[in-house]
């Protein structure tokens, strides 16, 4: 009976996390539509944050190239190789594809994104806000970004080209 209860709790947690991601992405879609209704598209040149990550979860930092950390009131530790990206602007990465993760990290130059990482040294979570400044090759962009002639930046740090909002399906509500 205890196993069944534990399994039920784990499934409930997974459902909660999926719903949380769906809610965050629904809010992003709403903001994209709001932005599109107020502006006319213009070509955006996407920037990264200066790191390379593993191609599947856990999204481990494989290479630190040039990260610009935003000054914060609290302690901010540097991102190092083998740290794991656990969330981007509060959206957990566990159930996201690589292109969805890139879609949350990449954005217009000079904007910021908040990353929650699992330290490879202390195994503790930490948040760091980094600036999008790193020049990307088209091969670094998710397919929909490279093909898009314009994209809508959205307040809050999420950027998706037209028609590229991730869809979440699979088990659960």
């Amino acid at each position: 009976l205890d196993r069944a209860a534990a399994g039920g709790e784990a499934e409930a947690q997974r459902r909660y996390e999926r719903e949380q991601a769906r809610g965050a992405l629904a809010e992003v879609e709403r903001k994209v539509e709001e932005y599109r209704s107020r502006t006319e598209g213009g070509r955006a040149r996407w920037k990264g944050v200066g790191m390379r990550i593993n191609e599947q979860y856990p999204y481990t930092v494989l290479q630190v190239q040039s990260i610009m950390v935003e000054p914060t009131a609290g302690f901010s530790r540097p991102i190092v190789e083998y740290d794991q990206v656990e969330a981007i602007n509060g959206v957990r990465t566990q159930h996201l594809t690589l292109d969805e993760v890139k879609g949350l990290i990449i954005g217009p130059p000079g904007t910021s994104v908040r990353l929650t990482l699992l330290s490879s040294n202390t195994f503790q979570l930490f948040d760091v806000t980094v600036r999008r400044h790193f020049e990307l090759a088209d091969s670094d962009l998710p397919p929909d970004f490279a093909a898009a002639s314009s994209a809508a930046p959205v307040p809050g740090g999420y950027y998706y080209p037209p028609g590229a909002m991730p869809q979440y399906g699979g088990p659960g509500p």
Side-chain angles (χ1 to χ4, degrees):
L1 186 63
D2 288 337
R3 264 191 199 153
E9 288 176 15
E11 180 59 29
Q13 179 65 28
R14 282 191 296 276
R15 264 191 255 121
Y16 171 76
E17 289 173 4
R18 278 194 302 270
E19 286 301 315
Q20 188 177 26
R22 283 183 187 128
L25 290 169
E27 178 65 13
V28 169
E29 285 179 324
R30 185 190 67 73
K31 288 180 180 180
V32 166
E33 289 307 315
E34 179 182 307
Y35 180 83
R36 282 186 188 146
S37 69
R38 289 185 313 203
T39 63
E40 293 190 25
R43 180 157 177 80
R45 183 66 187 149
W46 303 108
K47 299 289 183 178
V49 297
M51 66 181 187
R52 293 213 176 266
I53 59 173
N54 192 30
E55 293 186 4
Q56 60 189 14
Y57 185 84
Y59 296 105
T60 304
V61 176
L62 300 176
Q63 182 183 21
V64 175
Q65 296 161 314
S66 171
I67 296 178
M68 293 177 65
V69 176
E70 295 284 318
T72 60
F75 172 75
S76 181
R77 82 179 255 331
I79 298 172
V80 298
E81 291 177 1
Y82 306 111
D83 285 349
Q84 293 178 6
V85 180
E86 293 294 318
I88 303 156
N89 285 339
V91 176
R92 295 196 50 185
T93 60
Q94 183 175 5
H95 301 292
L96 300 180
T97 67
L98 177 62
D99 285 344
E100 291 168 337
V101 168
K102 285 181 175 182
L104 292 173
I105 294 175
I106 293 169
T111 59
S112 299
V113 60
R114 183 174 46 89
L115 304 175
T116 301
L117 296 112
L118 179 65
S119 170
S120 59
N121 295 323
T122 64
F123 303 104
Q124 293 182 350
L125 293 174
F126 68 98
D127 287 333
V128 63
T129 301
V130 294
R131 183 174 301 266
R132 295 174 174 116
H133 72 286
F134 195 80
E135 190 71 33
L136 299 169
D138 283 345
S139 61
D140 292 330
L141 297 172
D144 290 331
F145 277 71
S149 62
S150 67
V154 180
Y158 300 95
Y159 299 88
Y160 282 95
M165 291 303 298
Q167 301 297 313
Y168 290 89

